[in-house]
Amino acid sequence: MADNSLFHNTKNLRVHFHWAGEDSAIALADDGDGMDEQTLFDAMRVGSRNPREVRDPADFGRFGLGLKTASFSQCRRVTVTTRRKRGDLVTRCWDLDHIASTNEWRLLRTPSALAETLVEKLADPTQGTIVVWEKLDRVTKGTHTENDSDEDGFLRQAEHVRDHFAIVFHRFMNGRSATTFFLNGKPISPWDPFLIDQAATQPLPGERLSFKGQIVEVEPFVLPHLSKLEPETHRRAAGLRGWNAHQGFYIYRNKRLLVPGDWLGIKGWRQEEHYKLARIRVDLPNTLDGEWEIDVTKSRARPPEKLRREFARIGERTRSIAKRIYSHRGAKLIPAEGQERVFLWEQTAKHNQVFYRLNRDHPLVKQVRAACADVPKLSALLRLIEETIPVPLITITDREKPDQTIGPFERAKESEILEIMRQVFASLRAKGLSRKDALLRLAHFEPFPRFPQLLQAVQEEDEK
């Protein structure tokens, strides 16, 4: 619905959450071009557009389903009131309960008393459109006005809408022709995923890729390291899903964000800690919707095969620079050659025989032993592990198939390694070490020095 408002020259877009338990309502009002009666009638028809028809280059819609499907997924009654400049106010309403009782798909002309009140409160007096959702069975069914937790839940939904608008429409909120968004009367601040206003942000050379006679614009950015950002800027730049989840390509169609960070299924690429500073903006024309598999929800996009190689090339360059910046910081934590390192396993010799024992002084081992309710059983388990290490088999396999022997955590996900490092770090802190000393000790524990980017992640988490 906001897409339609923006396409029709809206300067102020207002979202209002009206709390009244099961009788709550949500309204969206704009001061755009508005519609006459016939245009409104056409807009309320389900599936009113052919997705293959030639559209205005600035148009967001494709199927003619957005208003109806979005509304019926959340409510049973949707009312649209609109007027063009110097035109009459016209209203149409779909009420699923009325349809069920009469067995007729008939558009109503009269708004409910609540919808009429919201129109009077929010609608622009000269032109524009207001959409009101009532009977919010997916949102407020079973809620009560006197229940504070029900009201809090409703207001949390409003906050989700605010955050969604801040991300998806952030490019419309800046510039000379900006649109101002409001939630319950308060302006919504845009979320800039590329931190363009930060001096330490690195914009890389952009490219214009040609595909089927259309231009796809690609502009990579490498964001500043934590040390270059104010704490609040760093927190906000993490977005709704966190730094790791927001790395990758950002796909826009007519400035509207479709994909807020993703590596688009490029083979072997995952969202990993040391690539989290890489964000790449991609601008598509609406003529390539089919080739990019953009669906009716406008929440998914996949590059055509002919562009995938170009995206991999641009992404590889951006990821490489991002990794270098991030790992450079983490590398400072790695102990220098010759400094003592702490191992989980120890090799001992007795009577010309070699044994392998768990390091009982390892902080994680000590903490587990201290927290264990049955120390004898734990000691028995550790001893059993030590006594049954298949040393001969490991030696033979390593000699005969050296290429098949993997190193510590070689096939583990970074998230798994990071969680183990967090636990060891917590055990060091529990021993009374300062944050700085605990981090330095962590950097001496094998095999953690092999993962400087994750050591850096632990440090950043602790600093926050």
Side-chain angles (χ1 to χ4, degrees):
M1 295 186 295
D3 294 342
N4 293 331
S5 296
L6 293 168
F7 177 62
H8 289 98
N9 304 308
T10 293
K11 295 301 179 187
N12 295 280
L13 194 150
R14 303 177 187 278
V15 183
H16 184 78
F17 276 63
H18 172 80
W19 168 246
E22 287 195 335
D23 297 323
S24 298
I26 300 174
L28 184 146
D30 68 44
D31 57 1
D33 298 333
M35 294 176 277
D36 59 24
E37 189 167 12
Q38 183 59 49
T39 305
L40 174 59
F41 178 81
D42 292 339
M44 296 292 278
R45 289 165 51 202
V46 178
S48 57
R49 300 187 63 169
N50 181 344
R52 292 188 176 87
E53 73 180 19
V54 177
R55 292 174 286 151
D56 187 303
D59 192 359
F60 296 100
R62 183 184 179 203
F63 299 93
L65 293 170
L67 169 64
K68 284 76 68 175
T69 55
S71 298
F72 293 148
S73 70
Q74 302 297 324
C75 70
R76 301 196 314 277
R77 181 183 178 99
V78 54
T79 302
V80 181
T81 298
T82 183
R83 83 166 94 217
R84 285 187 172 166
K85 194 170 185 178
R86 292 184 291 274
D88 295 328
L89 196 69
V90 290
T91 297
R92 291 293 184 274
C93 170
W94 281 120
D95 189 324
L96 297 184
D97 292 340
H98 177 80
I99 294 170
S101 64
T102 63
N103 201 28
E104 292 182 359
W105 280 82
R106 177 175 296 177
L107 273 171
L108 306 179
R109 294 172 176 265
T110 305
S112 69
L114 175 57
E116 193 167 23
T117 299
L118 291 174
V119 168
E120 292 175 358
K121 178 179 181 178
L122 299 172
D124 185 273
T126 58
Q127 65 182 50
T129 301
I130 178 169
V131 179
V132 180
W133 287 351
E134 297 172 272
K135 302 179 182 179
L136 301 166
D137 48 353
R138 291 285 298 275
V139 181
T140 59
K141 186 176 182 179
T143 61
H144 303 279
T145 53
E146 66 276 9
N147 190 315
D148 290 342
S149 63
D150 287 346
E151 183 176 7
D152 290 342
F154 186 70
L155 295 178
R156 280 196 297 272
Q157 295 286 339
E159 292 173 358
H160 292 327
V161 170
R162 177 200 63 201
D163 295 339
H164 174 77
F165 276 26
I167 291 175
V168 172
F169 300 109
H170 71 94
R171 292 173 72 182
F172 292 90
M173 300 181 189
N174 295 309
R176 295 177 60 186
S177 58
T179 297
T180 304
F181 289 67
F182 298 88
L183 174 65
N184 287 356
K186 296 181 180 180
I188 298 175
S189 300
W191 180 70
D192 174 19
F194 310 108
L195 299 182
I196 293 174
D197 293 336
Q198 295 294 316
T201 295
Q202 292 188 40
L204 305 181
E207 298 192 30
R208 292 166 57 85
L209 307 177
S210 178
F211 180 75
K212 290 192 173 183
Q214 304 295 317
I215 297 298
V216 176
E217 297 185 3
V218 185
E219 189 170 5
F221 295 84
V222 177
L223 273 57
H225 185 268
L226 164 67
S227 61
K228 302 287 186 180
L229 298 173
E230 293 295 327
E232 176 58 23
T233 302
H234 183 268
R235 184 200 64 77
R236 184 165 170 77
L240 293 178
R241 296 180 290 135
W243 274 89
N244 274 10
H246 281 297
Q247 63 186 262
F249 292 97
Y250 284 66
I251 311 300
Y252 294 84
R253 187 185 65 178
N254 295 337
K255 298 198 304 181
R256 183 210 195 272
L257 183 59
L258 303 177
V259 178
D262 189 80
W263 291 120
L264 304 179
I266 296 176
K267 187 175 181 180
W269 289 17
R270 297 184 299 186
Q271 291 178 319
E272 299 179 271
E273 183 75 24
H274 48 281
Y275 297 129
K276 71 180 185 181
L277 302 181
R279 296 180 180 180
I280 304 170
R281 185 166 66 198
V282 179
D283 281 299
L284 308 178
N286 64 10
T287 50
L288 296 180
D289 284 2
E291 288 77 3
W292 277 78
E293 301 178 21
I294 296 173
D295 62 5
V296 67
T297 66
K298 301 174 202 166
S299 61
R300 186 192 71 177
R302 286 290 179 266
E305 195 59 39
K306 291 184 178 179
L307 285 178
R308 190 171 291 272
R309 182 177 299 176
E310 297 298 318
F311 274 70
R313 174 181 57 80
I314 295 170
E316 187 60 52
R317 173 167 54 99
T318 310
R319 283 158 57 99
S320 176
I321 296 173
K323 180 179 180 179
R324 186 165 66 244
I325 290 175
Y326 190 80
S327 297
H328 173 72
R329 300 287 303 185
K332 296 179 180 179
L333 301 172
I334 299 176
E337 191 67 31
Q339 287 185 319
E340 179 186 1
R341 299 195 181 189
V342 179
F343 295 86
L344 180 61
W345 287 94
E346 296 178 325
Q347 184 188 75
T348 61
K350 187 176 182 181
H351 304 307
N352 294 323
Q353 291 181 313
V354 176
F355 301 87
Y356 294 92
R357 295 286 182 260
L358 285 166
N359 180 4
R360 297 300 199 276
D361 290 327
H362 192 286
L364 195 56
V365 175
K366 292 181 71 173
Q367 189 176 35
V368 171
R369 283 168 58 86
C372 183
D374 194 337
V375 175
K377 281 188 178 179
L378 177 61
S379 298
L381 174 62
L382 297 181
R383 182 64 184 273
L384 185 62
I385 291 172
E386 293 170 337
E387 294 293 342
T388 56
I389 302 172
V391 176
L393 179 59
I394 294 173
T395 303
I396 293 171
T397 303
D398 189 48
R399 184 183 301 120
E400 295 180 351
K401 302 175 182 179
D403 294 337
Q404 295 183 16
T405 303
I406 64 173
F409 296 122
E410 195 168 312
R411 292 183 180 175
K413 296 180 180 178
E414 285 197 343
S415 58
E416 298 171 345
I417 307 170
L418 185 57
E419 179 56 30
I420 294 172
M421 295 172 79
R422 290 187 186 116
Q423 295 296 333
V424 177
F425 181 75
S427 69
L428 291 168
R429 293 282 286 132
K431 288 178 59 178
L433 271 66
S434 67
R435 291 172 176 170
K436 179 179 179 181
D437 290 342
L439 190 67
L440 290 175
R441 288 285 291 167
L442 182 68
H444 284 75
F445 290 163
E446 283 292 334
F448 299 151
R450 307 182 190 197
F451 307 101
Q453 72 278 8
L454 300 184
L455 288 169
Q456 180 65 21
V458 174
Q459 181 181 30
E460 290 181 3
E461 289 179 358
D462 188 64
E463 288 175 350
K464 288 190 291 185

